[in-house]
Amino acid sequence: MMSKRRSLWGWVEDLLAEVEGAMLRPSWNSSEKCLEPLIEIENRESEIIVSVDLPCVDKKEDISLEVSEDTLEIKAALKKAIRWERWGVVQKNIEFTAFKKVVTLPEKVRPEEATAVFKRGVLRVKLPKARQKFSLKIS
């Protein structure tokens, strides 16, 4: 019973470290002029669904997807550049022209069977899991 408590606390500590790391990491890359889009990952029984919020992207032709067994890379051009200007002690001008995100998938997938739909600023990518279940007859 004690080992389960330790593993539970270890899991909680790992989760908190992951959340803290995500909060402290910037959501942009100024050298590539890219913003990081918001994503949601649904891990279902037979597939993984990644939903990506891509505001200011008009057409599916402006989106590029690359899928491997364990990653999904999303690139999307903005219809109009987003400019951030800050005045104060240090003046900073940053312009973003695209979204870019590499998602590490929670399980291996079959990239050749993946599908994607882009509708009203939201991209949904369905990735079938690589694992397969087989029924066995008992003799």
Side-chain angles (χ1 to χ4, degrees), residues 88-128:
V89 178
V90 177
Q91 180 183 353
K92 206 166 204 180
N93 295 322
I94 301 174
E95 184 175 271
F96 300 104
T97 58
F99 285 110
K100 182 179 179 183
K101 174 82 175 171
V102 177
V103 180
T104 302
L105 301 171
E107 293 185 46
K108 300 267 188 214
V109 297
R110 295 189 305 262
E112 64 278 357
E113 296 178 26
T115 60
V117 175
F118 180 65
K119 192 184 283 186
R120 286 185 246 134
V122 178
L123 175 69
R124 284 180 55 91
V125 183
K126 291 186 179 185
L127 304 147

Side-chain angles (χ1 to χ4, degrees), residues 6-20:
R6 285 186 196 150
S7 65
L8 176 62
W9 284 114
W11 177 82
V12 169
E13 288 175 353
D14 291 345
L15 180 63
L16 289 173
E18 183 180 332
V19 168
E20 182 181 8

Side-chain angles (χ1 to χ4, degrees), residues 15-32:
L15 180 63
L16 289 173
E18 183 180 332
V19 168
E20 182 181 8
M23 291 177 74
L24 296 176
R25 183 177 42 83
S27 59
W28 67 86
N29 183 331
S30 59
S31 64
E32 291 187 34

